[in-house]
Amino acid sequence: MAWTADEEFLAEMKRFDPTGLSMERRFLLRELLKLVDHLEGDTAEAGVYEGAASSIICKARGRRSTHWAFDSFEGISAPSEHDHDFWTAGALASSEAGARAILDPLGAVVLKGWIPDVFAEASIERLVFAHVDVDIHDPTLASFEYFYDLVVPGGLIVCDDYGFAVCSGAKEAVDGFMAERPEKVIHSPTGQGIVIKL
């Protein structure tokens, strides 16, 4: 595949993922952002971890909009009965300082706190792109509930965890939420679930 020769992209992403296991998802994320380049509004991510996806979003949009980055930096919240038994509270904890070192220079607004409570700290009027990467059911559902009405027509919501067996709760949350709405969820072979707002 020609994209595997994009040495600049690969080198940048390998600092986040030396194994390369997330490269296809990150490359698709970068490409999906081209679909909203003509739209005006902010971007957001729920589940920042080390900042890889948020950095891709910031670089794609430049300084013409605000990127809102939400994370507890204390790992995932307690899984519910909807979630695979793979997960435990506190898994995937990450460094707030490390994420800020990457995202602050790009102009992102990093907000530390638990979803959905942390959303109250933001002042978002409209979104063109929202990335949800929180792995389990309840925060995934809360993120879609918060982001969906803010996303403008033509904007995207991407669930990073949609197609992964250990993230079955995230898929259940997205499918349940979107079942009452006109958009279809596009299940990418990379595992991402993509919603294009009508």
Side-chain angles (χ1 to χ4, degrees), residues 32-78:
L32 289 172
L33 283 152
K34 294 177 181 177
L35 295 175
V36 302
D37 193 57
H38 64 293
L39 299 174
E40 294 302 322
D42 291 345
T43 57
E45 181 175 40
V48 175
Y49 194 47
E50 295 176 340
S54 277
S55 70
I56 291 170
I57 295 167
C58 287
K59 289 176 182 177
R61 295 292 293 177
R63 298 274 184 161
R64 65 192 176 108
S65 60
T66 300
H67 179 67
W68 302 86
F70 304 95
D71 202 299
S72 69
F73 298 104
E74 296 179 35
I76 65 170
S77 53

Side-chain angles (χ1 to χ4, degrees), residues 1-2 13 17 28 30 42 49 64-65 69 72 78 80 82 87 96 122-123 128 140 155 161-162 177 190 194:
M1 304 297 272
M13 288 299 106
D17 178 16
L28 180 57
R30 190 184 78 172
D42 291 345
Y49 194 47
R64 65 192 176 108
S65 60
S72 69
S80 72
H82 300 280
W87 296 108
E96 179 185 1
S123 55
V128 300
T140 297
D161 315 304
Y162 184 81
F177 180 84
T190 59
I194 303 158

Side-chain angles (χ1 to χ4, degrees), residues 8-19:
E8 182 179 348
F9 172 79
L10 295 176
E12 182 177 359
M13 288 299 106
K14 278 186 178 176
R15 68 180 174 153
F16 298 104
D17 178 16
T19 66

Side-chain angles (χ1 to χ4, degrees), residues 31-182:
E31 294 301 295
L32 289 172
L33 283 152
K34 294 177 181 177
L35 295 175
V36 302
D37 193 57
H38 64 293
L39 299 174
E40 294 302 322
D42 291 345
T43 57
E45 181 175 40
V48 175
Y49 194 47
E50 295 176 340
S54 277
S55 70
I56 291 170
I57 295 167
C58 287
K59 289 176 182 177
R61 295 292 293 177
R63 298 274 184 161
R64 65 192 176 108
S65 60
T66 300
H67 179 67
W68 302 86
F70 304 95
D71 202 299
S72 69
F73 298 104
E74 296 179 35
I76 65 170
S77 53
S80 72
E81 67 276 7
H82 300 280
D83 295 304
H84 194 283
D85 60 10
F86 176 83
W87 296 108
T88 57
L92 301 176
S94 58
S95 166
E96 179 185 1
R100 285 186 178 281
I102 292 163
L103 299 178
D104 286 350
L106 299 175
V109 177
V110 179
L111 296 174
K112 181 183 188 301
W114 293 102
I115 293 168
D117 297 341
V118 69
F119 293 145
E121 298 179 30
S123 55
I124 303 172
E125 295 183 3
R126 51 190 281 140
L127 289 170
V128 300
F129 196 94
H131 190 244
V132 179
D133 187 4
V134 289
D135 301 285
I136 59 175
H137 179 276
D138 291 357
T140 297
L141 178 58
S143 297
F144 267 72
E145 288 172 342
Y146 178 63
F147 292 145
Y148 180 84
D149 286 340
L150 293 170
V151 175
V152 301
L156 274 68
I157 308 175
V158 177
C159 179
D160 186 72
D161 315 304
Y162 184 81
F164 290 86
V166 297
C167 298
S168 56
K171 183 178 189 302
E172 180 183 335
V174 173
D175 287 345
F177 180 84
M178 294 306 303
E180 300 176 4
R181 287 157 182 86

